[in-house]
Amino acid sequence: MQLELPFLAEPPVRPNGRARYVRLGGSVVPYSFRRARRRTIGIAIDERGLHAAAPRWATIAEVEAFIREKQGWVLRKLAEARAAPRPAVVWRDGMRIPYLGDEVAVCAAAPGAPSGLDGARLMLAIAGGLGPEALREAALAWLRGAALALFHGRAASLGPLLGVAPQRVSLSNARTQWGSCSADGRVRLSWRLIHLRPALIDYVIVHELAHLLHMNHSARFWRVVAVACPGYGAARRELRELSHALPEL
Ligand SMILES: [Zn+2]
C-alpha cells in the first residue's frame, strides 16, 4: 500500500477559488475556479494544476465548454508542468535546510572532526574539497543516516502500540511517496521525511505499520492508525500541503 503525495490529485484551489472537476478525454481533471473582473473566460496552468477565471455572466457549463475546446493544450501543459523539475537547490556553506520541522544551517566541520549537529548547525565532515557537490553529498549522507536511525527507533516504539513488528525498515529516495509496505512485512520510508516535524514522521510510520494488519485503506485500517495516532487527520492534511513546499535536496 502506498501513501502518495498527490500531484494534481487534490484540486488546485486558490484563495477564494472553488475546486471543480472537468472531464477531458479519458481523464477527470481538477481545476480551481474563481469569479473575476474580466471580460472573457481565462484558463492558466502552473505547477499546481489548472485554474479558470470567468466574469459574472459566464455559466459553469460555458467555462467547462471553453476548457474542453482547449483540451489538447490543457492536457499537454499539465503533463509538462508535472514533468518539470523544481528549481535546483544551490548548495553553499551556511545554507539552511529543513530538519525535523525546524531548520539547520549546513557548515563544514573543522578538518578531522566528524559530522554532527551542533545546536542549530549541522557540521559536516567534507571529503574532497568544499564545492557545492561535496557539501551536498556530505549533507545527504548525514541526513540519510539520521533518518534511518530515527525511523528504526520510532518503528520500534510505535509497533507495539499496534501489536506489529516490521520485518525490516529501510530508506527510499522517493519524492512522490512518503512510505510503502510490502505483504511480507517490509516497510520503506523516504529519507526526506527527516525534513518534517516528528509528529508527521510518526503518522507516516504508523500508517505503514497499520498496513501490516490491513493492506487497504478501510475503516478498520484507519481505526488501527487512530490507536497510535489520534490526530492523523490533521497530519494527513499537513503532509499534503508540505509535499509541495519541501526543497528537492
Ligand atoms: Zn496506505
Side-chain angles (χ1 to χ4, degrees):
M1 281 295 117
Q2 299 174 345
L3 178 60
E4 291 183 5
L5 302 183
F7 187 96
L8 299 184
E10 289 292 305
V13 188
R14 276 179 170 168
N16 307 319
R18 292 184 58 194
R20 294 180 176 277
Y21 296 85
V22 59
R23 183 172 286 281
L24 294 182
S27 41
V28 176
V29 175
Y31 71 98
S32 76
F33 177 71
R34 66 190 172 86
R35 294 285 175 192
R37 283 172 167 276
R38 48 181 299 143
R39 301 166 78 148
T40 56
I41 299 168
I43 56 175
I45 286 162
D46 63 18
E47 72 288 349
R48 299 198 57 203
L50 172 62
H51 310 281
R56 291 174 61 103
W57 54 260
T59 64
I60 288 299
E62 284 170 323
V63 171
E64 296 192 351
F66 181 83
I67 294 172
R68 275 192 296 272
E69 243 171 63
K70 316 271 183 209
Q71 172 173 322
W73 179 85
V74 168
L75 293 175
R76 193 175 72 247
K77 288 289 175 188
L78 283 174
E80 284 173 15
R82 222 167 310 186
R86 295 186 208 184
V89 171
V90 180
W91 283 85
R92 54 182 170 69
D93 196 67
M95 73 176 279
R96 301 172 77 81
I97 58 172
Y99 176 71
L100 295 181
D102 208 331
E103 280 192 334
V104 291
V106 294
C107 305
S115 293
L117 281 172
D118 175 12
R121 294 191 304 169
L122 173 55
M123 308 306 293
L124 295 167
I126 296 174
L130 287 176
E133 196 48 39
L135 192 63
R136 175 176 183 270
E137 266 175 33
L140 294 196
W142 189 86
L143 288 169
R144 286 167 164 278
L148 192 58
L150 175 67
F151 300 166
H152 274 141
R154 294 311 295 156
S157 298
L158 294 163
L161 297 179
L162 309 183
V164 297
Q167 284 296 315
R168 183 178 144 88
V169 174
S170 59
L171 296 182
S172 84
N173 188 37
R175 296 170 193 274
T176 56
Q177 193 182 306
W178 294 119
S180 64
C181 168
S182 65
D184 59 357
R186 285 172 304 163
V187 167
R188 296 189 80 208
L189 299 162
S190 172
W191 68 265
R192 296 170 197 279
L193 283 166
I194 197 76
H195 295 319
L196 309 180
R197 62 188 180 84
L200 297 180
I201 299 173
D202 276 3
Y203 160 68
V204 175
I205 294 174
V206 166
H207 183 116
E208 298 308 333
L209 292 177
H211 277 315
L212 298 176
L213 298 172
H214 302 289
M215 270 299 197
N216 52 48
H217 295 118
S218 61
R220 289 165 70 198
F221 166 82
W222 289 113
R223 277 199 293 277
V224 171
V225 171
V227 167
C229 192
Y232 72 86
R236 289 180 79 197
R237 281 191 295 278
E238 195 173 338
L239 280 171
R240 273 198 286 263
E241 281 158 28
L242 285 170
S243 65
H244 294 284
L246 291 178
E248 304 223 342
L249 297 185

